[in-house]
Amino acid sequence: MPEEFTRTTIAREGRAGSVWVDELPFLVEELLARWGCVPDGPVMHGGVGVVVPVRRGAGEGAVLKVSFPHPGNVHEPDAFAVWGGRGAVRLLERRDERFAMLLERVRASTLAEVEDGDVVVRVAGRLNRRLAVPAPTGLPRLREQADARAEQLRENAGKVAHGLSRATLDAAFATLAELGRDQPDTLIHGDLHARNILRADREPWLAVDPKGYVGDPAYDGGTLLKSRALTLMGADHLGKAVDRILDVFSEAAELDRERVRRWAQFHAVEASLWGRLNGFRVARGGLLLDRITQFAEQLAELLTENGRRPV
């Protein structure tokens, strides 16, 4: 197993992570045997799971994905099953009690490697539109999480010193109270960003790592803009760069720009407070974490001001 993945899993999950990591090689062997696969490349990993390139008999390559058992990973195979390969990788096999799937293999390069920002945002927007389909019952509804997320936001804001204005916090709460409770029964990715969109042969780009949420497709416009933060930190004119992302994504996804902006503002507020409490994967402390959290606050304030402009 990759050393970095082992270390970060144990650091994040403690004793439960240590036990799971110790069992993981045996679990992978069990799944390879169950699905008639042999390894076909080095083990890769994301934040919460490992990905093993495999071959199944004389067929095409696939990947075995095993994730740490966590509520946030439960509905990933359900989303893949609904999409059936439309805009996302195909689900070939699943074993839910093991948090394991056999998936269509795509290329290792991601949309994040594309330098043209407009292309990144446009591709994500078009995929967002394709993935927004009627949702089955049994998947987590974002509208049912609105009150709990508002309470968590309020609690986090009271725990740490931050630079968010009262107006910016109030705007995030208003989004949860208004848009958060008024969401369609539409399946969305739930964590749509450029690193979760991979190059493929069957289609130019396919999505991976969905949360399987049901709600407003504009919600993922916020997750995408939040994920562009490190790129935006180098922008010559932040306001124009943010406006461009909102315009391109909304047009490509065929969504109301104001809803996208409001969800983006909420995500920026939520991320800035989370970062001050817990750090980020790219920065757990130090000057870089300070820079990122301060920038998240700046982004949240800018998105708040953006909503006050005359139409």
Side-chain angles (χ1 to χ4, degrees), residues 2 12 33 37-38 66 93 96 111 160-161 164 176-178 248 271 288:
R12 185 184 66 246
C37 298
V38 294
V66 187
E93 302 280 0
D96 293 356
L111 185 60
V160 293
L164 296 169
L176 287 173
E178 298 163 14
V248 172
L288 180 57

Side-chain angles (χ1 to χ4, degrees), residues 59-137:
E60 294 184 358
V63 295
L64 169 64
K65 180 178 180 181
V66 187
S67 298
F68 180 79
H70 185 275
N73 303 329
V74 168
H75 296 290
E76 183 177 359
D78 297 323
F80 285 136
V82 171
W83 290 323
R86 182 179 183 272
V89 297
R90 288 191 174 115
L91 175 69
L92 307 176
E93 302 280 0
R94 62 191 290 179
R95 194 168 183 203
D96 293 356
E97 70 275 17
R98 295 296 202 181
F99 285 76
M101 297 174 290
L102 192 68
L103 299 167
E104 171 187 10
R105 192 194 299 188
V106 290
R107 303 186 194 181
S109 58
T110 75
L111 185 60
E113 297 168 30
V114 174
E115 294 185 2
D116 189 324
D118 278 4
V119 171
V120 172
V121 176
R122 189 173 293 113
V123 168
R126 288 172 178 169
L127 268 182
N128 176 279
R129 185 179 72 243
R130 296 187 66 206
L131 298 176
V133 297
T137 59

Side-chain angles (χ1 to χ4, degrees), residues 20-55:
W20 181 76
V21 164
D22 287 343
E23 295 175 348
L24 188 54
F26 305 101
L27 175 56
V28 168
E29 291 290 347
E30 172 196 316
L31 293 164
L32 290 173
R34 170 180 286 270
W35 290 329
C37 298
V38 294
D40 188 40
V43 178
M44 301 174 286
H45 69 90
V48 296
V50 294
V51 176
V52 184
V54 299
R55 289 204 170 271

Side-chain angles (χ1 to χ4, degrees), residues 170-187:
D170 286 345
F173 287 122
T175 294
L176 287 173
E178 298 163 14
L179 304 190
R181 296 193 181 101
D182 178 24
Q183 300 191 58
D185 281 326
T186 301
L187 176 62

Side-chain angles (χ1 to χ4, degrees), residues 244-284:
R244 182 65 182 169
I245 291 175
L246 293 172
D247 290 343
V248 172
F249 182 87
S250 300
E251 181 180 2
E254 299 180 7
L255 293 172
D256 177 65
R257 184 189 189 277
E258 177 63 5
R259 290 185 78 97
V260 175
R261 181 202 65 80
R262 292 188 69 182
W263 279 119
Q265 192 271 353
F266 163 76
H267 280 294
V269 170
E270 188 178 56
S272 68
L273 295 172
W274 174 267
R276 289 196 178 278
L277 282 166
N278 305 287
F280 299 105
R281 189 181 303 174
V282 296
R284 294 296 177 186

